[in-house]
Amino acid sequence: MTENDSEHLPVLLSETIQGLSVKADGKYLDATFGRGGHSRAILALLSDNGRLLGLDRDPQAIKTGQALAAKDPRFSIEHGNFSELNTAVHARLWQGNVDGILMDIGVSSPQLDDADRGFSFMKDGPLDMRMNPEAGLSAAEWLATADMDEIADVIKTLGEERYGKRIARAIVETRDEHPITTTKQLADLVDKASPSRDKFKHPATRTFQAIRIFINNELEELTTALEQALDVLAVGGRLAVISFHSLEDRIVKRFFRDEARGDDLPSHFPVTVDQLNPRLKVIGKAIKASEEEIKLNPRARSAVLRIAEKLA
């Protein structure tokens, strides 16, 4: 096991690779490279003629990808959001010729484990939460200026946190006294504002999740990336998406369902299924991590993998 592999266990690895049905001479896109666990598994199945492109907005991921690219000419990586995959594919003249795309949505283990990134309340660090620390507002900057209703809406909607308004009020009252700049400050604040406890979950879990999703515009990024994926895939190409949050999985499930259904015509129209122009075929059911994998990697517990194939 390499140093990079030990830092991050790729979730649902064998199921994802099997679902992509990798062709030795194919062209593939890992739209969320992370630390490259899935990419290395794809490369292991490619011939000298196969190609793999990685994308990521995290500068640390780019460094890992550049090191891999220096060793393997079949691989290249670009710094960018996965919602910009169309541009990266166009630059390589791969449009409509990509045999498989992988999206592993959400925050990676190395990001969670690095206190300086501010994603986790498990270690105290600056309240940042940006996937790309070089762009956009940090969580601390947003919390310092957003009004209470906006904060409450984010926490309730994106975190599915029932005490969102109470937590938002506590944030605003606290920031009036002193800035909220560290993960411990926010976690302690949420803990005090939460009237009940879940014995399996820290009270700040949903709030941190919600703020992270908002700061990184994750749901909108996912929606855009799914649309672009259909445009760049070859007919017969596979799309594999791993999500860790019910809101993300809902977007993927709905997108797959709608594209497999085709044109939205009234049910009484005399047309066959093929005439509805479906663009995707859903492959199998949603896949979750086995108990064995969860024991090795507890963060795999919430992972859901969905796979679809482009029809036209």
Side-chain angles (χ1 to χ4, degrees), residues 103 105 222 226 239-243 252 256 304-307:
M103 300 178 189
I105 311 303
L222 174 58
L226 289 170
L239 173 58
V241 185
I242 303 170
S243 55
V252 178
F256 280 12
V304 179
L305 167 65
R306 294 185 186 274
I307 300 160

Side-chain angles (χ1 to χ4, degrees), residues 26 33 46 60 62 69 75 78 80 98-99 111 126 130 141 150-151 158 162 181 201 207 233 253 264 289 298 300:
F33 176 77
L46 293 181
Q60 291 298 321
I62 296 302
F75 176 75
E78 287 197 15
V98 176
D99 295 294
Q111 288 170 327
R130 289 173 293 177
E141 290 169 331
E150 182 184 10
I151 296 171
L158 300 183
R162 58 179 169 162
T181 59
K201 195 175 285 187
T207 297
L233 277 171
K253 181 180 180 180
D264 188 15

Side-chain angles (χ1 to χ4, degrees), residues 244-303:
F244 294 82
H245 186 285
S246 59
L247 294 178
E248 295 164 344
D249 183 53
R250 209 171 297 151
I251 290 171
V252 178
K253 181 180 180 180
R254 188 180 299 126
F255 179 81
F256 280 12
R257 181 199 65 201
D258 291 349
E259 295 299 337
R261 182 184 294 156
D263 297 335
D264 188 15
L265 297 178
S267 58
H268 63 272
F269 267 47
V271 294
T272 65
V273 172
D274 288 344
Q275 288 174 319
L276 290 173
N277 303 310
R279 297 202 294 167
L280 280 180
K281 176 175 72 173
V282 177
I283 306 297
K285 296 181 179 180
I287 300 170
K288 296 187 177 183
S290 65
E291 287 302 320
E292 290 77 14
E293 179 172 2
I294 292 169
K295 287 178 184 176
L296 290 172
N297 182 11
R299 288 173 180 160
R301 184 177 300 279
S302 57

Side-chain angles (χ1 to χ4, degrees), residues 39-305:
S39 281
R40 290 183 182 87
I42 293 170
L43 286 168
L45 298 174
L46 293 181
S47 69
D48 290 343
N49 296 320
R51 292 292 180 268
L52 173 63
L53 169 63
L55 283 179
D56 210 292
R57 54 176 158 177
D58 186 336
Q60 291 298 321
I62 296 302
K63 288 181 181 178
T64 301
Q66 288 170 339
L68 178 59
K71 296 177 182 176
D72 194 328
R74 301 170 302 167
F75 176 75
S76 57
I77 190 160
E78 287 197 15
H79 189 196
N81 297 353
F82 71 130
S83 63
E84 301 166 337
L85 66 88
N86 212 348
T87 302
V89 168
H90 264 293
R92 285 163 174 75
L93 305 179
W94 287 8
Q95 192 76 8
N97 290 306
V98 176
D99 295 294
I101 298 174
L102 165 65
M103 300 178 189
D104 184 357
I105 311 303
V107 64
S108 69
S109 295
Q111 288 170 327
L112 284 170
D113 294 337
D114 184 351
D116 289 339
R117 300 300 299 273
F119 285 108
S120 174
F121 47 79
M122 301 304 289
K123 300 176 184 175
D124 194 20
L127 189 58
D128 195 310
M129 296 197 193
R130 289 173 293 177
M131 300 284 190
N132 180 2
E134 300 166 0
L137 288 177
S138 69
E141 290 169 331
W142 176 66
L143 288 175
T145 57
D147 63 46
M148 188 175 76
D149 288 341
E150 182 184 10
I151 296 171
D153 184 58
V154 166
I155 295 172
K156 286 193 292 183
T157 304
L158 300 183
E160 299 176 311
E161 170 58 75
R162 58 179 169 162
Y163 302 121
K165 192 153 192 175
R166 185 190 293 254
I167 292 167
R169 185 181 299 113
I171 288 170
V172 171
E173 290 173 353
T174 301
R175 80 183 185 195
D176 288 343
E177 298 175 7
H178 56 79
I180 304 168
T181 59
T182 71
T183 54
K184 187 176 188 304
Q185 280 180 294
L186 180 59
D188 289 346
L189 181 159
V190 175
D191 193 6
K192 289 177 184 176
S194 301
S196 64
R197 296 287 180 275
D198 180 339
K199 63 181 179 179
F200 298 110
K201 195 175 285 187
H202 189 284
T205 301
R206 294 181 185 276
T207 297
F208 269 69
Q209 174 181 275
I211 294 173
R212 187 207 83 218
I213 290 172
F214 174 79
I215 289 295
N216 294 288
N217 203 29
E218 292 178 37
L219 301 187
E220 292 79 3
E221 289 274 321
L222 174 58
T223 300
T224 302
L226 289 170
E227 287 286 352
Q228 293 185 7
L230 260 185
D231 292 335
V232 306
L233 277 171
V235 174
R238 294 282 181 93
L239 173 58
V241 185
I242 303 170
S243 55
F244 294 82
H245 186 285
S246 59
L247 294 178
E248 295 164 344
D249 183 53
R250 209 171 297 151
I251 290 171
V252 178
K253 181 180 180 180
R254 188 180 299 126
F255 179 81
F256 280 12
R257 181 199 65 201
D258 291 349
E259 295 299 337
R261 182 184 294 156
D263 297 335
D264 188 15
L265 297 178
S267 58
H268 63 272
F269 267 47
V271 294
T272 65
V273 172
D274 288 344
Q275 288 174 319
L276 290 173
N277 303 310
R279 297 202 294 167
L280 280 180
K281 176 175 72 173
V282 177
I283 306 297
K285 296 181 179 180
I287 300 170
K288 296 187 177 183
S290 65
E291 287 302 320
E292 290 77 14
E293 179 172 2
I294 292 169
K295 287 178 184 176
L296 290 172
N297 182 11
R299 288 173 180 160
R301 184 177 300 279
S302 57
V304 179
L305 167 65

